[in-house]
Amino acid sequence: MTYTELTAPPTSAPVLPARVLENVARVLVGKEGVTRLALAGVLAGGHILLEDAPGTGKTMLARALARSLGLDFKRVQFTPDLLPGDVTGVSVYRPATGTFEFVPGPIFTGVLLADEINRATPKTQSALLEAMGEGQVTESGVTHLLPPPFVVIATQNPVEHEGTYRLPEAQLDRFLLRLSVGYPTLDEEVRLLDRLQTVHPIHALESVVTPADLLDAQRQVRDVHVSADLRRYIAALVARTRQHPMVALGGGPRASLALQGVAQALAFQAGRSFVLPDDVQEAAPGVLAHRLSLRIEARLQGQGDAQVVEEVLAAEPVPVEQAAGPRS
């Protein structure tokens, strides 16, 4: 008997995720799976890296999420000449007062779209690290807090390497999830052509929840129960990434925390107050794959990080409990 068969059925999904998913679906056709995971990343309080070919809807997903959640949205096109201050802000000297005044950059927003992030230099990329990790920006020795909720959604093209700078492992680790939007099916593309023939629905898209609702939902996500067996399962999965023969550098403790957080958010979206192994397994590819540094042998054999995660999931025994939910 499996863990799922021993658990109680889910209740109805909470209002916030259902409203947001339905609203985003008005813009993105057939992308319910990636939208659910992206929303899970936001509910878990993390940042998202969208890696896919041009024209697949990465920017539209970011804009639709921001509008649906009632968050301010700003987009920065990352280019080689972009400076750190262009993102975080700079101190400007005011002759009238003889003082310096901090002028906030576009990072002071609800959702920042870092478009084609790998085209900027490492120095500019690193300007995001403090903001993503600590929710603040330090300029000229003064720290400026970013008002929550704050989400960075970055995009990059995985196949184009001309004029790009590889994201360092430390920055990749700051992204809670790496997701791919993917190409639509033939039927989905036909529906897309019909829907966008006259005007794009993103222009009429309105918010369905407020930032305060989102902050409340994020608090509820952190309260979703994770059993001791599932915590061990999460830790064991991450430990297996370090032991895999094709991995030079596996996931660290931040990967375990990320996997637990996204699993909690998926359970919350499903209307459950407890996490199932299915939640962990659904979250694992997006949470773990980009945190793995593969050996040269893996690349020579054509083995990618996603395949490693599949092997890790297949190798680790799934826990079975006699009951789900918090124990008294």
Side-chain angles (χ1 to χ4, degrees), residues 72-78 82-90 103-113 128 146 150:
D72 291 334
F73 175 84
K74 292 182 181 177
R75 173 180 177 175
V76 176
Q77 189 69 40
F78 276 56
L82 191 73
L83 299 176
D86 296 331
V87 179
T88 60
V90 295
V103 179
I107 202 168
F108 286 82
T109 186
V111 174
L112 175 71
L113 175 62
L128 290 173
L146 295 166
F150 168 68

